[in-house]
Amino acid sequence: MEDNEKKIEQLRQAIDRLSERKADLKQQRDAAKEAGDLEEVERLTREIQNTEQSAQSNADAIDKVRQKMLP
């Protein structure tokens, strides 16, 4: 049980880091938009999407761990 709780906490921390990363990427993308750098905007948009997918994968993993913890 304790191992599962550790896994959940690690995954939550990873999600928090990904959220921070996403916010940074959005700021960079906004700056690229203002500068008119369309290639950079596209690259950053893809990176934001990848970050969102990673966060969702971690959330799904938390759900799986919780399911294992149920009696």
Side-chain angles (χ1 to χ4, degrees):
M1 185 90 142
E2 202 170 296
D3 287 342
N4 288 334
E5 290 172 4
K6 270 186 178 178
K7 286 179 188 176
I8 289 172
E9 183 57 31
Q10 289 172 342
L11 290 165
R12 282 191 181 140
Q13 289 173 0
I15 290 171
D16 289 345
R17 288 191 302 273
L18 288 166
S19 294
E20 291 171 11
R21 175 79 176 133
K22 181 179 167 184
D24 290 343
L25 290 169
K26 284 185 172 185
Q27 287 180 338
Q28 292 175 31
R29 183 180 65 183
D30 290 345
K33 279 181 185 177
E34 287 181 24
D37 188 348
L38 295 180
E39 280 185 27
E40 186 68 358
V41 170
E42 288 177 18
R43 184 189 73 77
L44 289 165
T45 298
R46 283 190 304 275
E47 198 164 338
I48 289 167
Q49 290 169 344
N50 290 340
T51 301
E52 289 170 340
Q53 288 173 349
S54 294
Q56 184 60 51
S57 293
N58 286 342
D60 292 345
I62 288 173
D63 289 342
K64 286 180 184 176
V65 171
R66 283 188 177 144
Q67 288 296 320
K68 288 180 185 177
M69 293 171 68
L70 294 176

